[in-house]
Amino acid sequence: MEAFTALGNDKLGAAWPAVWALMRIVVVVVPLLVCVAYLTLWERKLIGWMHIRLGPNRVGYAGLLQPWADAVKLIFKELIAPSQADKPLFFLAPVLVMMPALAAWAVIPFGPGLVLADINAGLLFVMAITSVGVYGVIIAGWASNSKYAFLGALRASAQMVSYELAMGFVLVTVLLVAGSLNLSEIVVGQHSGYFAARGWNFLSWNWLPLLPLFVIYVVSSVAETNRHPFDVVEGESEIVAGHMVEYSGMSFAVFFLAEYANMMLLSTTATIMFLGGWAAPLDLERVFGLTLPTWLHGFSDWFWLVAKIFFVVSMFIWFRASFPRYRYDQIMRLGWKVFIPLTLLWLVVVAIWMQTPWNIWTHPVRPSQGESAPVQNVAGLSPNAASLRVF
């Protein structure tokens, strides 16, 4: 890597840092867009299996080229804008929805040291950049100059803001126990503790002590992305597809892809906050005495991160295939009268918990009889995050 950087500096000089940053962005964004496209296929296949039907199976082997056929169809469809619409804002709105879903990946760690921008305020960046997407929804409804679209935009924005509050309190609690805003440090902080020292890594992840918050975060993510059973924004029998009703062709496709990109982003965030990020559930060497080849360690990090994201994303699809759509008043009541009070209560409980002798996040690992306490050094962590946990 150093030789590659030196060669780039020699060839491009002062332009090399910008070129190198652009190359890394392309490496992240292109696979992400391909995954988003195939997530649409996975949704149709999984729901098909749940409903005992086939799903897409005509275009390519087992329907694997269906996303590309959909993309070609949408690219060649005519872009139509209402005659009285505000044209600049009308076509800007899809961009405002899609770009935050892609920009937030700049701080997502894919493995130890594998992150585009390893900033200390990574969690704050994700919270700030993803909240911008609501502006695209509002502008889409207003710029369409349609009462149906505007009503859908109001309902969508109110729902998104409501559940963002609950998600924010959840992330504040994770910040409290991690002692850091850096996403890599939050992941590494879950790699230590009583169970992790004995190879049972999944029992040291945040999902167990913060289980109510994990459930609230996943359900709020479904509502935040306007997914079923919270998709009243697109309740066709009520308001004719919501804020996207006047869009066609690729402008509609961008809204469509933004929904799936947000699903993947929120699933990744849930994996990092609660499921140990790239860590394997079990340390085979400590539990079974098996030693993995050196070349498998890096692959293992990628595999477990992708597997966890895939699991959480599949939960989104599972919810869609299983639950009926809620009424709008039920959705808002769940957010304001249930989730927000519960997250506030659990935040206070965790804060008090951390001041007691049973604080599992700052106590050293307890040794079993006849052995000394194992010492783990977590490189690059703040003192709070690097301290070993009993859990």
Side-chain angles (χ1 to χ4, degrees):
M1 183 62 68
E2 293 180 358
F4 180 72
T5 303
L7 178 62
N9 282 322
D10 292 339
K11 297 294 184 180
L12 299 176
W16 169 246
V19 174
W20 176 231
L22 182 61
M23 291 169 59
R24 289 184 294 169
I25 291 172
V26 170
V27 168
V28 172
V29 170
V30 172
L32 175 61
L33 292 176
V34 174
C35 290
V36 167
Y38 274 93
L39 179 56
T40 64
L41 177 65
W42 170 241
E43 178 175 34
R44 297 162 74 179
K45 283 286 190 182
L46 182 58
I47 293 178
W49 292 334
M50 289 181 174
H51 292 173
I52 317 179
R53 53 187 175 83
L54 294 177
N57 66 341
R58 298 295 183 186
V59 185
Y61 176 75
L64 290 177
L65 295 181
Q66 185 64 50
W68 300 101
D70 295 336
V72 171
K73 178 190 72 173
L74 290 168
I75 288 172
F76 287 99
K77 288 189 73 173
E78 183 181 1
L79 291 175
I80 300 174
S83 58
Q84 300 300 315
D86 188 320
K87 299 294 194 305
L89 291 179
F90 183 82
F91 290 110
L92 176 65
V95 178
L96 289 179
V97 174
M98 186 64 176
M99 291 310 297
L102 298 179
W105 288 87
V107 297
I108 298 296
F110 300 97
L114 294 175
V115 57
L116 193 60
D118 192 19
I119 60 177
N120 290 330
L123 181 58
L124 184 62
F125 176 83
V126 171
M127 296 174 64
I129 200 69
T130 52
S131 64
V132 175
V134 69
Y135 292 103
V137 173
I138 296 173
I139 290 174
W142 183 84
S144 298
N145 197 25
S146 165
K147 291 181 175 62
Y148 290 110
F150 189 57
L151 178 59
L154 290 178
R155 294 174 66 161
S157 57
Q159 178 177 318
M160 293 170 70
V161 170
S162 300
Y163 283 90
E164 274 184 2
L165 291 174
M167 294 171 66
F169 288 128
V170 170
L171 296 181
V172 167
T173 309
V174 174
L175 165 63
L176 187 66
V177 301
S180 174
L181 281 167
N182 185 285
L183 296 180
S184 297
E185 293 185 5
I186 292 173
V187 172
V188 176
Q190 300 175 65
H191 295 182
S192 61
Y194 177 81
F195 291 108
R198 286 149 181 81
W200 300 87
N201 298 335
F202 72 98
L203 294 177
S204 286
W205 298 341
N206 285 335
W207 72 270
L208 189 52
L210 303 180
L211 182 59
L213 296 183
F214 177 54
V215 174
I216 290 175
Y217 186 83
V218 171
V219 176
S220 297
S221 299
V222 177
E224 171 74 10
T225 52
N226 297 318
R227 293 279 302 177
H228 203 90
F230 302 98
D231 64 337
V232 294
V233 176
E234 301 174 23
E236 289 84 357
S237 61
E238 302 173 12
I239 51 177
V240 198
H243 59 279
M244 298 181 290
V245 67
E246 301 291 350
Y247 285 86
S248 63
M250 280 306 297
S251 56
F252 168 78
V254 172
F255 276 113
F256 186 74
L257 293 176
E259 177 182 308
Y260 286 85
N262 275 310
M263 285 171 56
M264 292 191 61
L265 175 63
L266 294 176
S267 298
T268 305
T269 307
T271 298
I272 290 171
M273 297 295 116
F274 297 99
L275 300 180
W278 57 80
L282 294 175
D283 189 326
L284 298 180
E285 184 173 356
R286 291 181 179 178
V287 178
F288 301 108
L290 300 176
T291 303
L292 291 176
T294 304
W295 64 271
L296 267 181
H297 287 292
F299 174 78
S300 175
D301 294 338
W302 281 84
F303 172 80
W304 287 114
L305 180 67
V306 172
K308 294 172 189 177
I309 295 172
F310 181 77
F311 168 73
V312 180
V313 165
S314 297
M315 289 177 63
F316 280 71
I317 303 171
W318 180 23
F319 295 157
R320 177 179 179 181
S322 304
F323 297 106
R325 180 186 293 129
Y326 294 133
R327 295 196 315 267
Y328 189 72
D329 63 302
Q330 293 174 325
I331 294 173
M332 299 302 286
R333 183 165 62 246
L334 178 66
W336 285 98
K337 294 187 177 181
V338 179
F339 281 0
I340 292 177
L342 278 179
T343 51
L344 281 172
L345 175 63
W346 205 255
L347 175 61
V348 174
V349 168
V350 171
I352 296 174
W353 186 0
M354 294 184 69
Q355 303 305 316
T356 67
W358 301 280
N359 180 2
I360 64 174
W361 290 280
T362 57
H363 281 190
V365 175
R366 293 178 299 187
S368 55
Q369 293 184 354
E371 66 176 7
S372 58
V375 178
Q376 299 180 6
N377 294 321
V378 183
L381 295 187
S382 62
N384 288 337
S387 57
L388 302 183
R389 308 195 306 178
V390 175
F391 213 86

